[in-house]
Amino acid sequence: MSGPPRLILFDVDGTLVDSQDDIVRAMELSFEALGLTPPKRLDITGIIGLSLEIAVVRLMPGLALAVNVAVIDDGRVLLTRREDFHVWCLPGGQVDEGESLGEAALREVEEETGLVVRIDRLVGLYSRPRWGGPHTLAVFAATRIGGELSCDPREVVEAEYFSPEALPEPLPWGQRERLADVFEGPGG
């Protein structure tokens, strides 16, 4: 993909939010869901050229952010089976205070899988304002540049590469959509 990353938002019902008016409305709803008063005017005209972590933090102070990382190797994606829910998912987790989205992505992959990766691109930014946990998720595609695959048993009981045509079950809600975006979506 050439040029800056696109800001891609999905409403809680999975509808693509693609007009400027819809994006402003989605931001207003996110403020309301957090119990915050939205600013009188949300100006998003400059967001596309900014790094996403700056844009999101400027628009949504106090927002709980999370990341997922699709580590791609030979057309296959690395999935981890979580220790707590025993579902297969992309490596990832919450963004720590003072950490950028990219830093969180690199840290989470290394913590959960032992791999050191290079972030290749932003796949998408997904928002679920009425979700109980972190409701804004950045998904990145990455390539392994070091480390050895080893699971942190406190978080991950298994890690394996899968082709997009042979994904394991169960996958948590939204993972199949994000994986499709990794391989076929706007940044795919």
Side-chain angles (χ1 to χ4, degrees):
M1 180 171 96
S2 62
R6 289 181 43 205
L7 177 62
I8 302 169
L9 295 173
F10 289 90
D11 199 348
V12 70
D13 66 0
T15 306
L16 178 66
V17 176
D18 58 358
S19 75
Q20 189 168 5
D21 290 341
D22 288 344
I23 292 171
V24 169
R25 183 65 188 136
M27 296 296 182
E28 290 170 342
L29 289 172
S30 293
F31 273 98
E32 290 169 14
L34 291 168
L36 302 172
T37 303
K40 292 189 186 327
R41 176 167 154 50
L42 285 174
D43 182 7
I44 65 160
T45 56
I47 288 179
I48 302 304
L50 294 173
S51 69
L52 285 177
E53 59 266 26
I54 292 172
V56 170
V57 168
R58 282 187 185 157
L59 289 174
M60 309 268 230
L63 178 67
L65 299 171
V67 294
N68 275 170
V69 182
V71 181
I72 308 296
D73 183 23
D74 196 28
R76 299 174 305 145
V77 63
L78 179 66
L79 296 178
T80 60
R81 192 162 61 86
R82 293 175 51 121
E83 189 278 329
D84 50 2
F85 301 117
H86 299 284
V87 296
W88 288 94
C89 58
L90 292 166
Q94 282 195 262
V95 177
D96 291 340
E97 187 175 333
E99 189 175 46
S100 74
L101 294 171
E103 290 167 337
L106 298 174
R107 175 184 53 77
E108 286 289 346
V109 171
E110 189 168 8
E111 280 179 6
E112 292 181 7
T113 70
L115 299 181
V116 177
V117 299
R118 175 191 69 233
I119 301 294
D120 296 321
R121 63 187 164 82
L122 173 70
V123 173
L125 185 63
Y126 304 82
S127 181
R128 298 179 289 182
R130 290 174 275 292
W131 181 255
H135 66 71
T136 300
L137 174 72
V139 178
F140 295 96
T143 303
R144 176 182 172 225
I145 58 171
E148 296 296 324
L149 188 58
S150 63
C151 300
D152 176 353
R154 295 169 297 174
E155 294 187 53
V156 174
V157 294
E158 195 173 354
E160 191 174 330
Y161 285 91
F162 296 91
S163 74
E165 300 82 27
L167 296 173
E169 292 291 341
L171 292 170
W173 183 88
Q175 284 287 296
R176 197 168 297 281
E177 172 192 16
R178 290 178 219 128
L179 288 163
D181 290 346
V182 165
F183 290 104
E184 303 164 9

